[in-house]
Amino acid sequence: MSVIAQQHVIDSVADALQYISYYHPMDYIEALGRAYELEESPAAKDAIAQILTNSRMCAEGHRPICQDTGIVVAFVKVGMNVRWDAELTLEQMINEGVRRAYTDPDNTLRASIVSDPAFSRKNTRDNTPAVVHVEMVPGDEVEITVSAKGGGSENKAKFVMLNPSDSIVDWVLKTVPTMGAGWCPPGMLGIGIGGSAEKAMVLAKESLMAPIDMAELKTRGPQNPLEELRIELHDKVNALGIGAQGLGGLSTVLDVKILDYPTHAASKPVAMIPNCAATRHVHFTLDGSGPAKIAPPDLARWPKVDWAPSAESKRVNLDTLTREEVMSWRPGDRLLLNGKMLTGRDAAHKRIADLYAEGKDLPDGVDFTNRVIYYVGPVDPVRDEVVGPAGPTTATRMDKFTDMMLDKTGLIAMIGKAERGPAGIDAIRKHKAAYLMAVGGAAYLVSKAIKDSRVVAFEDLGMEAIYEFTVQDMPVTVAVDAQGTSVHQSGPAEWSQKISAKIPLRQR
């Protein structure tokens, strides 16, 4: 009979969360390295190169892979024979581990969790509470898998109650294109089948904790219907041509994971949750002998990929930028931004809209005239950093504010992650503006281009405050030009046709 000490749980969870903040799972890195070698789309290959370069930088520098350091989800299996030496509940122990990990002064992680979610949405400041799933199992050990799930991918979760005779493949292939690229492909799809509605969602999330093994599965061949389904979905989703960051290409998913559970005869619940390019999870076991020890990966196993700006990139001076220059940009142009830009996300946009609705002016120091806004919520800096990892957030969340911002503030361009929706594109076309895309999953790499940072408004919003960044050669791609042409529409359409032309008719 094992006795599990409270402090061992707390220390193990804290150490694990720090570990996954800067170490990708090795299986993901190896799979992404294979995808990089096979990729034929120049835009997608460049995006994967940024992700791989960022990953190695984070592993070496012990800083977060992504500025969105996630909501913590823990799957805990408690042996029936375990005894506890603890005053806190299991959930309280895990939350204390989360608190210590996210406030660690050597590698401070971004606190993204808000309480009172329907109303005030106040940041808890330490990323607690975690979401904890507990299962009682035979034995005298405690197994814990911790993950940090980013909002961009979590927001793309899907659920459906199919009829028993409905096709899961058809639903997945219809649904994945509606998810856009805000979940930062290439990543994984986790699918839960059966149980009840909530059980299917938990199965989908838990399936993402398993190692990537699609290459091995294809080599040995499927041994049951679920493995056959995994392969079929993997190949057919990739044939959609969505590609890295939604730019069009060969690799949209690196693996498809499936867990199932018996269900009601009248039901067929199916859940699908993507995991992004910043996939973060680790498994450890406590047996009473002390806190878990997680060995660091061998950095020599990282692919030898060192991203550098394309020779075709155009340097842009943000301090002298004009609408005429913005109108000259074309979809797919690669730019290197230099000068000053302002930042703002959901909460800042909402406050700006409220100020205008009340007939008030913007705060002192906030002037968007002929300027660019970056949709970002950075990690706090440590040591000599100007800013912590500062990758883009999902741009579609700002679509409902885009017409207002372009009409009232003098803003002429925006930077974010993934595609823009119809409302955003219409506003961009109407005001002859542009939308620029930075690579999601390259937050530490992007932060190295930021040479100065200061808060200029809404400081109480924490990471959602308005900052002014001074940047040097910050890499972006023109994703929507002043005519409203989007690379997130043209890229996947082009690559789905190219892939289809390669697939024999009998395999479609």
Side-chain angles (χ1 to χ4, degrees):
M1 180 180 294
S2 297
V3 178
I4 307 299
Q6 172 177 296
Q7 196 60 46
H8 295 167
V9 176
I10 294 171
D11 290 346
S12 299
V13 169
D15 290 347
L17 290 170
Q18 278 285 310
Y19 180 99
I20 65 174
S21 76
Y22 44 74
Y23 289 140
H24 265 120
M26 202 65 238
D27 56 283
Y28 176 80
I29 289 301
E30 291 174 344
L32 190 61
R34 288 192 293 269
Y36 175 80
E37 294 298 328
L38 295 172
E39 187 56 67
E40 298 174 11
S41 162
K45 199 174 185 78
D46 182 83
I48 296 173
Q50 289 195 43
I51 295 168
L52 286 170
T53 302
N54 180 81
S55 177
R56 192 180 65 253
M57 289 173 61
C58 294
E60 293 170 345
H62 286 197
R63 290 295 273 147
I65 296 164
C66 180
Q67 79 289 339
D68 183 350
T69 50
I71 183 170
V72 175
V73 180
F75 291 92
V76 187
K77 295 183 178 181
V78 180
M80 291 291 290
N81 296 329
V82 162
R83 292 184 58 192
W84 294 96
D85 177 13
E87 296 178 355
L88 301 178
T89 67
L90 178 56
E91 190 165 346
Q92 288 172 335
M93 289 183 246
I94 290 171
N95 282 329
E96 183 58 27
V98 172
R99 184 176 296 108
R100 296 187 186 190
Y102 278 72
T103 58
D104 187 322
D106 288 329
N107 181 40
T108 305
L109 307 180
R110 196 183 82 181
S112 302
I113 303 307
V114 296
S115 60
D116 192 24
F119 301 103
S120 64
R121 296 182 65 83
K122 184 177 179 180
N123 196 300
T124 64
R125 299 291 183 176
D126 58 10
N127 221 59
T128 63
V131 176
V132 182
H133 303 283
V134 180
E135 180 183 357
M136 301 301 296
V137 298
D140 55 3
E141 297 179 333
V142 174
E143 296 182 36
I144 301 179
T145 299
V146 292
S147 68
K149 192 70 162 57
S153 60
E154 190 72 354
N155 290 350
K156 302 301 182 179
K158 302 295 181 182
F159 174 79
V160 67
M161 273 292 190
L162 294 177
N163 292 318
S165 61
D166 290 343
S167 166
I168 293 171
V169 173
D170 288 350
W171 177 76
V172 169
L173 295 180
K174 178 181 70 174
T175 304
V176 168
T178 71
M179 292 159 50
W183 58 282
C184 283
M188 286 73 67
L189 292 180
I191 295 177
I193 305 170
S196 52
E198 78 281 6
K199 180 65 174 180
M201 293 298 287
V202 174
L203 289 170
K205 178 66 66 65
E206 189 173 11
S207 74
L208 291 169
M209 305 299 110
I212 294 173
D213 64 350
M214 182 54 66
E216 293 79 14
L217 173 58
K218 285 188 170 186
T219 298
R220 69 166 168 80
Q223 297 176 348
N224 55 60
L226 279 185
E227 290 186 345
E228 292 175 358
L229 180 59
R230 285 179 57 199
I231 293 172
E232 181 179 5
L233 287 173
H234 172 270
D235 292 349
K236 288 184 175 179
V237 168
N238 281 329
L240 296 172
I242 295 167
Q245 302 293 300
L247 295 170
L250 300 180
S251 291
T252 302
V253 292
L254 303 176
D255 205 339
V256 176
K257 297 298 185 183
I258 303 175
L259 289 176
D260 67 352
Y261 194 85
T263 192
H264 192 284
S267 303
K268 195 175 185 178
V270 181
M272 179 166 61
I273 304 177
N275 224 4
C276 64
T279 181
R280 292 161 295 202
H281 57 85
V282 71
H283 174 92
F284 59 87
T285 300
L286 299 176
D287 60 7
S289 61
K293 302 297 182 184
I294 307 172
D298 179 3
L299 298 187
R301 295 174 65 186
W302 258 252
K304 300 298 187 287
V305 177
D306 293 297
W307 177 85
S310 166
E312 300 174 356
S313 298
K314 305 174 185 177
R315 282 189 166 81
V316 173
N317 186 341
L318 297 176
D319 300 330
T320 60
L321 189 62
T322 64
R323 190 172 299 276
E324 289 70 27
E325 184 176 357
V326 169
M327 291 173 64
S328 73
W329 296 339
R330 294 293 174 259
D333 284 354
R334 297 179 189 178
L335 310 178
L336 296 172
L337 304 182
N338 293 270
K340 297 184 185 301
M341 65 174 64
L342 294 174
T343 76
R345 287 172 35 120
D346 313 60
H349 280 75
K350 176 65 165 59
R351 283 209 182 166
I352 290 170
D354 290 344
L355 287 173
Y356 282 131
E358 296 166 5
K360 298 178 180 178
D361 295 329
L362 296 181
D364 292 341
V366 179
D367 184 358
F368 288 103
T369 305
N370 289 338
R371 300 191 77 177
V372 172
I373 190 171
Y374 183 24
Y375 302 148
V376 63
V379 176
D380 288 341
V382 299
R383 297 180 288 279
D384 60 348
E385 292 178 343
V386 168
V387 68
T393 198
T394 307
T396 50
R397 299 204 311 272
M398 268 52 73
D399 279 355
K400 65 180 180 180
F401 300 109
T402 301
D403 187 65
M404 176 269 294
M405 291 292 291
L406 295 176
D407 182 52
K408 295 183 178 296
T409 70
L411 187 71
I412 56 176
M414 300 146 283
I415 306 167
K417 180 181 75 175
E419 75 284 348
R420 299 310 295 258
I425 291 175
D426 288 347
I428 291 167
R429 183 189 300 112
K430 173 183 173 182
H431 296 283
K432 302 301 180 185
Y435 167 61
L436 313 175
M437 188 209 79
V439 172
Y444 197 38
L445 176 66
V446 170
S447 74
K448 297 306 180 183
I450 301 170
K451 304 305 179 182
D452 191 39
S453 170
R454 66 185 184 95
V455 175
V456 295
F458 308 148
E459 186 172 7
D460 63 296
L461 294 179
M463 61 93 176
E464 293 212 64
I466 295 179
Y467 294 76
E468 183 181 70
F469 287 167
T470 301
V471 299
Q472 181 180 326
D473 286 351
M474 175 178 169
V476 296
T477 298
V478 178
V480 181
D481 70 358
Q483 285 71 48
T485 304
S486 170
V487 297
H488 288 99
Q489 295 172 358
S490 60
E494 174 189 351
W495 280 91
S496 65
Q497 291 181 356
K498 289 183 177 181
I499 294 169
S500 179
K502 295 181 178 181
I503 300 174
L505 197 62
R506 66 181 181 277
Q507 294 181 19
R508 295 181 192 173

